[in-house]
Amino acid sequence: MVEIRVENVHIRYEDKVSHPGHPFSCGLIMEKLFIESCNEEWKVGGVSSGSQAYKLGDLSNLSVYWNVDSEGTKPKGQEESLSSSFKRPQAPKDMRSVFGPVCAKAKVMLNTQGNDLSMPKADMLLEVNEVPINLSKLQYDGILSLIDSFDRMTVQKKFWEFRPPKDITELKGREKLQWFIYAARSVHHLIHKRRVVWTWENMKAVRKDYKTYCSKYEEKLLAKKPSTELTKQLKELEARMSVFNIVTARAQAEVKASHSQTVSQGSWITSWFGWGTPPAKDSDQKDTPKDLSKEEIKEEKEKLYKAIGYSEASSKSSFPVDYVAYVFRLILRKAEVNLSDSTRELAKVVISKPEISIGTRPSAKSIKVDVMVNGLAVSGCHQGDATPVSMVTFESDSSKRELLHLVFESNATVRGSNVDQLISARLQPIRVVYDADTIDGVIAMFKVPSNVELQRLSALAQSKLSDFQNITRAGLEHAISVRKILDVDINLSAPYFVIPYGGRYTSTSDVLVVDLGNLRVTSDWNKQLKSDTDIKSADPTTLEDSFYDKFTLTLSDTQVLVAGEGEKWTDVRRSPVHSQLHLLNPTQLTLTVKKSLVFNDPHRPNIVLNCNLPDITLHLSDDKLVRVAKLLRSIPLPSPTATLASEIGPISGDDYLKDLTVVSGSEVSESILVTAATALGRAKVETSIDSSDEYETASEGEDVVWDDKETIAVSTQSSVPKTDDPAAIASIIQIQVKLVIQKFSLLLAVHSSGAGVPRLTANVATLQAQVIKRKYDLEVSASLGETYIVDHYIQDIEQNHILKAHDSELMKIMFVQVEREHPDFETKFNKILRSVDAKISKIDLKIDQNSVANLINLLSQLGKDISSQPGASTSVPATPLDPKPVAAVLSDGNDLVTEQGETSLKVIGSFGGLGISLWTDTHCIAEAQTTGLSITVDVSTDKVLVVTRIEDLHLADPQSNSPYKEIVKKENVKKDFIEAKVTVWKFANDESKYSKVAHPDIAVHLIVRKIRFCLCFKFMHSLQLFMMNVIQDRSMIDSAKHRATAAATNTVCDPHQYSMQYNIIIPVTTVVI
């Protein structure tokens, strides 16, 4: 019979330093904890007579409090009142509880009969009534300040011997220099330690201490009673040695001492006369080595078993494979989280009836975790007298009771096959409503105070270890055979987000609904290659495919809707049919993630992402665009708040040393010394402390040890062999991403008479993009397939294609960015840091007079409607042009190039051609054809070079009654029509860059071949009428003239400020008019 009783527990911590200006106290209070034996009816006092034992536990009023602006405990002399307050069973009224109070009951059933498999060996049920969690802004700041204080103390203890006795705030005048000296000594201590470790004198001293300690410790083991002088010498040596060296030296001394004792017991004199004959050994010890004791044999066995992964206790279990031996169940009635600031409650999260079940199967070495959540609700902050908004609500399904069902199991059986790990998840749909006031309040609450810098945690999170290795076929076979099989089956009805007008949801608000649809995640593990025979006989393609862990993510029925008052968007969201409310039609996204079994293999990408979208259709209209713009502009966004000096509080001098363990020695020396000097009001101290790579050592406490017969070393690197080949390292693909959109459609409609009238339709057959990231370079490629635009304003179906590409691919773009550290930077990349290669096929563009005029008026009216919405700026002030020279403009953003002979950017573009036709209501009035367009841009250290050419230009009048068909024509068909070369020198007149003024600012060399013009008055008049009919609003032309005039005025306002030099060469050729 077991009975445990614990009552009236109160643990308290008080702090007046961590959070300046806000002293706090925190603690834990528990009223009682009872654990008692009971019978099968769970009645205390009786004991079960069968093979089962029953235990009952009861926990009452467990809570954790955090008091802000606490006065602390009573002063000395009033201990009695303090003790009486601590004895109270519950927290006093002035204590603000962060966690609890919590009451729980536990029921434990133990099966003491080993051969009874009808019930588990142990079954525990824990029932918790309610778990309330309350957190305010000041409590959150106090928790962060406490963590930051512990972080600061961790750093301070390393330099405590240099710390002045008084704080910097208590010193005056020149006395503050004590803290400057404190910082300097601390930095010098770090630098000195890093330098001294790898000197020959230090290594000799470490080696000498190691040998001396081995011999002294062996002497201690052999002596029956070690002398005081020997113990003193060992302590002195241990004070100078690291823990690793001490442990290693002791292990070596123990082996030598054991060997010495064995030899002394079996000397040749005792063996000759038969003295000291060891006793007869048992039969099971006849093969035991003579020079090892029983304890040493046991220790060596444990080391061997640990190395080969064997355990004597892991004998074959007598339980069936499916027998669950241990069960733990947790039932929580409700969990509630309340967030608040100093004036109001911000948010409330309620999780209803979460249940957790854990079961283990010893025979299969399996553990299963089952988690269920039956409800979730999140309410926003109070806004006046209105009811708080339900930000997150659970839409229950009659056939499925729980909101979330998550299962994890190790060594499970799935579809008749064994897997190492199984993950399964199911989630019902939930609605998430955006509430601006709540979001702003929560963001402001969790803003980290300015005086808190969790740098040790940040440095730990940013740490990274990279190993490079070569993988052969044998390595592939080993990696595939030993990998863990993870079976993932996640089916989540993803949440849908409701963004209301003004950031506050009501039944009459305009809303933007983003529905993520259904999320399905599955794993694709190759079970046929699990056996060694299959791996050995697999072909290279199958083996290569099995080298990756593959996961497939499918996001289906993703859609975006916009609705106003009275529109039933909830019904439309559930329907798979397109409606007038859709901005984005329901679509599906498939993402395949492939993770390599061994990272940093030069022959295979580490991570491969393949994203496939079969169809994307966007439905836009003038009414929808205005409504969405109005909604987005009405939402108040979180604004950055300035931190007041009063919120920061006094700065302690210890803050200056907080960065010492985060950055390197050279960085810490300069930053800390400069910060200390600046804070003391001194001039900036410029210091340079040499801390080159030759002094980089291991972490603190690690010394180097050499043994006479073997080398003892500790390595944190992978056991897979490294590669030192720079080319192999540069060829490793860290991540490869590929995106394929099978079809993209954009529909633009005009809202008229309560319905949308189609206006434009744009279709792209295929859109592909690929990103390849290596250590030193990045490649991005994209391509657009067959593209065309249909204008529904044109009634003739055969003539309504206003844009059409000639080839199956409209455009290809390749972008490459490389670093100078790349081993092929000079050979393969020709010292080009960034390059862009674009190819565009020939495009035919049809411009209809009435259609373009209607489209311009539509866009103009749309811009006015959007600008007239609340919060929109109706006018944009004109920004005067900066009359600085072209050299300064071109140098901005190109600071990447610092070495001669390098090219920061190279652009190569080619355009197959452009065909433009101008149409009126009845006929075509003009046709223009341009072919063979190309452009090359080189941006180097000192200049920008632009080379362009146009192969041919042709303008014709296609009207049947026109006597002159060809208006513009090239005479020489063998040469390019136009060739231009423009050179812009960046520092033409900068004496610091050039000793002589040898280059102008801009040099232009333009060559125009022989051309024929036909000036036909009828043709020119038709073009003028066409332009007047297209641009009917004269205010647009007047506004453009006004802006051009203002820009020209600003440019020439001060012609003597900078005089630009031009060099223009235009060879005169014959022009026939």
Side-chain angles (χ1 to χ4, degrees):
M1 183 174 179
V2 177
E3 182 176 355
I4 300 175
R5 290 178 176 267
V6 180
E7 295 180 312
N8 297 333
V9 177
H10 192 171
I11 302 173
R12 183 180 176 92
Y13 172 81
E14 296 181 356
D15 195 328
K16 298 181 180 180
V17 180
S18 298
H19 196 187
H22 298 281
F24 61 87
S25 60
C26 56
L28 180 144
I29 295 178
M30 183 180 66
E31 182 179 351
K32 66 177 181 178
L33 172 62
F34 294 167
I35 300 177
E36 301 172 310
S37 299
C38 59
N39 56 18
E40 58 271 10
E41 297 180 357
W42 305 106
K43 293 183 179 181
V44 180
V47 180
S48 175
S49 59
S51 60
Q52 293 83 27
Y54 298 89
K55 308 295 178 183
L56 186 63
D58 187 4
L59 174 66
S60 298
N61 295 329
L62 172 66
S63 62
V64 177
Y65 65 89
W66 192 288
N67 295 340
V68 182
D69 297 334
S70 175
E71 297 180 358
T73 58
K74 300 296 182 180
K76 188 175 181 180
Q78 301 183 13
E79 289 82 359
E80 295 182 359
S81 60
L82 177 63
S83 301
S84 61
S85 65
F86 268 52
K87 288 182 179 180
R88 284 177 286 187
Q90 296 183 356
K93 295 182 180 179
D94 60 339
M95 293 187 179
R96 301 188 59 183
S97 176
V98 177
F99 175 82
V102 175
C103 298
K105 290 186 178 181
K107 297 179 180 179
V108 181
M109 189 275 295
L110 302 176
N111 183 7
T112 58
Q113 188 174 356
N115 55 0
D116 186 5
L117 304 181
S118 60
M119 61 183 65
K121 301 293 294 179
D123 189 349
M124 179 178 178
L125 173 62
L126 179 61
E127 295 179 345
V128 183
N129 293 332
E130 183 178 351
V131 177
I133 299 175
N134 304 283
L135 186 64
S136 66
K137 170 62 176 175
L138 290 178
Q139 288 175 333
Y140 174 75
D141 292 346
I143 293 173
L144 291 184
S145 299
L146 180 61
I147 298 175
D148 181 69
S149 178
F150 289 159
D151 186 15
R152 185 181 295 109
M153 286 187 288
T154 302
V155 178
Q156 290 176 6
K157 69 179 182 180
K158 298 182 179 180
F159 313 101
W160 195 259
E161 56 182 315
F162 308 116
R163 189 182 187 277
K166 294 183 179 181
D167 194 84
I168 191 172
T169 57
E170 302 176 3
L171 301 177
K172 297 181 181 180
R174 298 181 60 85
E175 294 179 350
K176 293 184 178 181
L177 289 176
Q178 298 178 13
W179 280 88
F180 179 82
I181 299 173
Y182 170 36
R185 287 181 175 178
S186 302
V187 174
H188 180 266
H189 175 72
L190 285 179
I191 302 301
H192 177 72
K193 189 172 183 179
R194 298 172 70 90
R195 287 184 173 182
V196 167
V197 168
W198 291 108
T199 59
W200 279 112
E201 291 77 9
N202 181 72
M203 288 188 286
K204 290 179 181 178
V206 170
R207 179 59 182 159
K208 182 179 179 181
D209 290 344
Y210 180 83
K211 286 185 175 182
T212 306
Y213 189 84
C214 282
S215 60
K216 295 294 182 182
Y217 195 78
E218 181 183 358
E219 183 180 348
K220 177 183 177 182
L221 294 176
L222 295 176
K224 295 182 179 181
K225 186 177 181 180
S227 62
T228 306
E229 182 65 21
L230 178 61
T231 306
K232 181 180 178 181
Q233 293 177 359
L234 288 174
K235 288 183 178 181
E236 292 177 354
L237 291 172
E238 289 174 355
R240 298 195 301 265
M241 297 174 61
S242 65
V243 177
F244 173 77
N245 283 352
I246 293 173
V247 173
T248 307
R250 286 186 177 184
Q252 186 174 353
E254 289 172 357
V255 174
K256 292 181 178 180
S258 176
H259 181 71
S260 300
Q261 290 176 353
T262 306
V263 171
S264 62
Q265 292 176 0
S267 62
W268 67 273
I269 300 178
T270 57
S271 300
W272 183 267
F273 292 96
W275 299 340
T277 303
K281 299 180 181 179
D282 299 335
S283 59
D284 57 345
Q285 298 180 355
K286 58 184 179 179
D287 295 330
T288 303
K290 296 182 179 180
D291 57 345
L292 295 178
S293 62
K294 292 182 179 181
E295 291 78 12
E296 292 171 340
I297 294 174
K298 183 178 180 180
E299 183 180 357
E300 294 299 327
K301 280 186 177 181
E302 291 177 354
K303 294 180 180 179
L304 176 62
Y305 293 164
K306 184 178 180 180
I308 64 177
Y310 173 78
S311 176
E312 292 180 320
S314 61
S315 59
K316 187 175 181 180
S317 176
S318 59
F319 298 135
V321 178
D322 57 349
Y323 174 68
V324 181
Y326 303 96
V327 177
F328 170 78
R329 291 172 294 166
L330 170 64
I331 298 178
L332 178 60
R333 304 302 178 189
K334 184 176 69 172
E336 183 176 315
V337 180
N338 294 290
L339 303 178
S340 62
D341 57 14
S342 58
T343 58
R344 59 176 178 172
E345 293 184 0
L346 296 177
K348 181 179 181 180
V349 182
V350 178
I351 303 175
S352 303
K353 296 181 180 180
E355 300 179 8
I356 301 176
S357 177
I358 302 176
T360 61
R361 294 182 289 127
S363 297
K365 297 181 181 179
S366 172
I367 182 172
K368 182 178 181 180
V369 180
D370 197 320
V371 180
M372 287 194 303
V373 177
N374 294 316
L376 174 65
V378 179
S379 58
C381 61
H382 290 271
Q383 301 174 5
D385 298 333
T387 305
V389 179
S390 297
M391 298 182 61
V392 177
T393 54
F394 165 43
E395 297 185 351
S396 60
D397 190 351
S398 57
S399 61
K400 299 179 179 179
R401 181 175 58 89
E402 66 273 1
L403 167 65
L404 172 65
H405 189 191
L406 176 64
V407 178
F408 170 80
E409 186 176 2
S410 61
N411 296 330
T413 302
V414 180
R415 298 183 294 274
S417 301
N418 296 326
V419 296
D420 296 298
Q421 294 174 344
L422 167 67
I423 298 177
S424 176
R426 300 291 184 271
L427 176 67
Q428 299 303 313
I430 58 177
R431 184 182 71 174
V432 181
V433 179
Y434 179 85
D435 186 74
D437 290 345
T438 303
I439 298 299
D440 294 351
V442 172
I443 292 176
M445 174 181 172
F446 288 103
K447 181 181 178 182
V448 179
S450 57
N451 62 326
V452 174
E453 299 178 2
L454 304 178
Q455 297 187 3
R456 291 177 61 86
L457 299 179
S458 302
L460 181 63
Q462 295 175 1
S463 62
K464 181 181 179 182
L465 180 62
S466 296
D467 299 327
F468 300 97
Q469 58 262 10
N470 288 322
I471 302 299
T472 61
R473 179 181 175 90
L476 290 177
E477 296 173 357
H478 174 71
I480 295 173
S481 60
V482 301
R483 70 166 169 177
K484 298 291 185 179
I485 296 179
L486 174 63
D487 184 80
V488 179
D489 185 11
I490 300 176
N491 191 355
L492 308 178
S493 295
Y496 65 95
F497 301 88
V498 180
I499 304 176
Y501 177 84
R504 183 176 181 183
Y505 179 76
T506 61
S507 58
T508 59
S509 301
D510 291 350
V511 294
L512 178 66
V513 182
V514 180
D515 187 1
L516 299 182
N518 189 77
L519 175 64
R520 182 73 184 272
V521 181
T522 58
S523 60
D524 183 14
W525 44 276
N526 203 338
K527 60 183 179 181
Q528 66 267 19
L529 290 184
K530 186 60 179 175
S531 63
D532 295 338
T533 305
D534 294 338
I535 296 175
K536 295 293 183 181
S537 59
D539 58 275
T541 304
T542 306
L543 188 66
E544 181 76 17
D545 187 63
S546 301
F547 188 64
Y548 291 91
D549 286 331
K550 287 168 283 187
F551 303 91
T552 302
L553 183 148
T554 304
L555 192 62
S556 58
D557 297 332
T558 303
Q559 54 187 333
V560 180
L561 301 91
V562 57
E565 181 180 357
E567 294 178 329
K568 299 181 179 180
W569 58 268
T570 55
D571 299 334
V572 174
R573 188 187 68 85
R574 298 187 182 96
S575 176
V577 183
H578 164 70
S579 70
Q580 296 294 332
L581 303 181
H582 277 91
L583 280 178
L584 174 64
N585 277 3
T587 186
Q588 177 176 320
L589 179 145
T590 302
L591 177 65
T592 303
V593 181
K594 300 170 65 177
K595 178 178 174 294
S596 178
L597 297 182
V598 179
F599 264 38
N600 299 326
D601 177 16
H603 306 92
R604 297 161 193 87
N606 292 339
I607 298 177
V608 179
L609 302 178
N610 294 326
C611 183
N612 185 20
L613 289 88
D615 185 10
I616 294 181
T617 304
L618 294 177
H619 293 269
L620 302 179
S621 66
D622 55 346
D623 180 66
K624 291 180 182 178
L625 291 175
V626 173
R627 187 178 295 180
V628 171
K630 175 183 176 182
L631 188 148
L632 296 179
R633 295 166 72 94
S634 68
I635 297 176
L637 299 178
S639 58
T641 57
T643 304
L644 299 178
S646 59
E647 298 178 357
I648 300 177
I651 301 178
S652 173
D654 292 328
D655 294 339
Y656 303 141
L657 296 180
K658 192 170 180 184
D659 298 337
L660 290 181
T661 59
V662 180
V663 296
S664 63
S666 60
E667 296 172 337
V668 81
S669 59
E670 184 175 358
S671 61
I672 296 301
L673 292 177
V674 172
T675 304
T678 305
L680 294 174
R682 314 286 295 181
K684 181 176 179 181
V685 179
E686 297 182 358
T687 178
S688 176
I689 299 181
D690 184 15
S691 180
S692 57
D693 294 338
E694 62 178 318
Y695 300 113
E696 295 294 329
T697 66
S699 60
E700 182 181 0
E702 293 186 4
D703 295 334
V704 182
V705 180
W706 290 274
D707 194 81
D708 294 335
K709 299 181 179 179
E710 59 181 357
T711 300
I712 302 175
V714 176
S715 175
T716 59
Q717 302 296 330
S718 174
S719 60
V720 183
K722 295 183 180 181
T723 175
D724 296 329
D725 186 10
I729 296 176
S731 64
I732 296 175
I733 299 178
Q734 298 176 351
I735 185 171
Q736 176 178 322
V737 182
K738 186 176 182 180
L739 172 65
V740 177
I741 301 177
Q742 301 294 341
K743 182 181 179 181
F744 176 80
S745 300
L746 175 63
L747 307 179
L748 178 62
V750 179
H751 193 75
S752 176
S753 301
V757 179
R759 185 62 180 83
L760 290 176
T761 300
N763 289 303
V764 179
T766 304
L767 189 151
Q768 296 182 0
Q770 180 172 285
V771 179
I772 298 177
K773 178 66 177 70
R774 300 181 182 88
K775 182 176 179 61
Y776 300 114
D777 64 286
L778 172 68
E779 292 184 7
V780 180
S781 60
S783 64
L784 290 177
E786 184 179 1
T787 305
Y788 63 90
I789 299 178
V790 177
D791 189 351
H792 298 283
Y793 192 85
I794 302 175
Q795 301 298 326
D796 190 355
I797 300 178
E798 297 181 356
Q799 300 293 333
N800 63 357
H801 284 67
I802 61 174
L803 187 145
K804 186 176 182 181
H806 279 226
D807 299 335
S808 59
E809 285 189 342
L810 172 64
M811 179 174 55
K812 283 185 176 181
I813 297 179
M814 171 68 76
F815 171 77
V816 178
Q817 180 173 337
V818 64
E819 300 178 8
R820 296 184 182 89
E821 291 77 9
H822 199 290
D824 299 330
F825 177 67
E826 297 184 0
T827 56
K828 179 181 178 181
F829 298 96
N830 296 322
K831 294 186 177 181
I832 301 175
L833 295 174
R834 291 169 294 182
S835 63
V836 179
D837 190 353
K839 296 180 180 179
I840 304 176
S841 63
K842 188 176 181 180
I843 299 175
D844 287 338
L845 179 63
K846 178 180 179 181
I847 302 178
D848 184 81
Q849 173 180 289
N850 297 329
S851 175
V852 174
N854 178 269
L855 187 60
I856 291 177
N857 293 333
L858 174 64
L859 296 178
S860 177
Q861 184 63 34
L862 186 63
K864 294 179 180 179
D865 294 340
I866 294 176
S867 301
S868 63
Q869 297 302 327
S873 178
T874 56
S875 63
V876 178
T879 303
L881 296 179
D882 186 4
K884 65 181 180 179
V886 179
V889 176
L890 292 176
S891 63
D892 293 345
N894 292 325
D895 297 335
L896 184 63
V897 177
T898 58
E899 301 179 7
Q900 292 291 335
E902 292 183 350
T903 302
S904 65
L905 176 63
K906 184 178 183 65
V907 179
I908 301 176
S910 61
F911 191 8
L914 176 63
I916 302 177
S917 59
L918 306 181
W919 287 74
T920 61
D921 295 338
T922 57
H923 61 280
C924 178
I925 64 171
E927 290 182 349
Q929 296 286 338
T930 302
T931 59
L933 282 78
S934 66
I935 183 171
T936 302
V937 180
D938 287 342
V939 181
S940 58
T941 307
D942 54 352
K943 64 181 179 179
V944 177
L945 177 63
V946 181
V947 178
T948 182
R949 69 179 185 88
I950 300 176
E951 183 179 344
D952 191 11
L953 176 64
H954 183 76
L955 179 62
D957 184 359
Q959 302 181 54
S960 58
N961 58 353
S962 175
Y964 303 100
K965 300 293 183 180
E966 297 179 347
I967 305 301
V968 178
K969 180 183 178 182
K970 184 183 70 170
E971 288 292 322
N972 191 345
V973 297
K974 295 183 179 180
K975 296 184 178 180
D976 294 335
F977 171 52
I978 296 177
E979 293 181 4
K981 180 180 179 181
V982 181
T983 305
V984 181
W985 299 91
K986 294 184 180 180
F987 311 102
N989 292 337
D990 190 352
E991 296 181 358
S992 62
K993 299 293 182 180
Y994 296 97
S995 58
K996 296 181 180 180
V997 183
H999 302 287
D1001 292 279
I1002 301 176
V1004 180
H1005 189 188
L1006 177 64
I1007 299 177
V1008 181
R1009 308 297 178 188
K1010 186 176 181 181
I1011 189 173
R1012 179 186 295 272
F1013 288 96
C1014 179
L1015 300 181
C1016 180
F1017 175 77
K1018 180 181 178 181
F1019 179 78
M1020 301 296 293
H1021 183 64
S1022 62
L1023 291 181
Q1024 183 181 7
L1025 292 176
F1026 180 87
M1027 296 300 298
M1028 294 177 64
N1029 292 329
V1030 167
I1031 307 177
Q1032 299 176 359
D1033 190 0
R1034 304 297 300 178
S1035 61
M1036 298 176 58
I1037 300 178
D1038 296 338
S1039 177
K1041 289 181 178 179
H1042 176 72
R1043 288 194 297 268
T1045 303
T1049 303
N1050 293 329
T1051 303
V1052 299
C1053 61
D1054 190 3
H1056 301 288
Q1057 180 178 0
Y1058 182 80
S1059 180
M1060 298 182 63
Q1061 299 183 15
Y1062 298 91
N1063 184 5
I1064 302 177
I1065 301 175
I1066 304 178
V1068 178
T1069 57
T1070 304
V1071 179
V1072 180
I1073 302 177

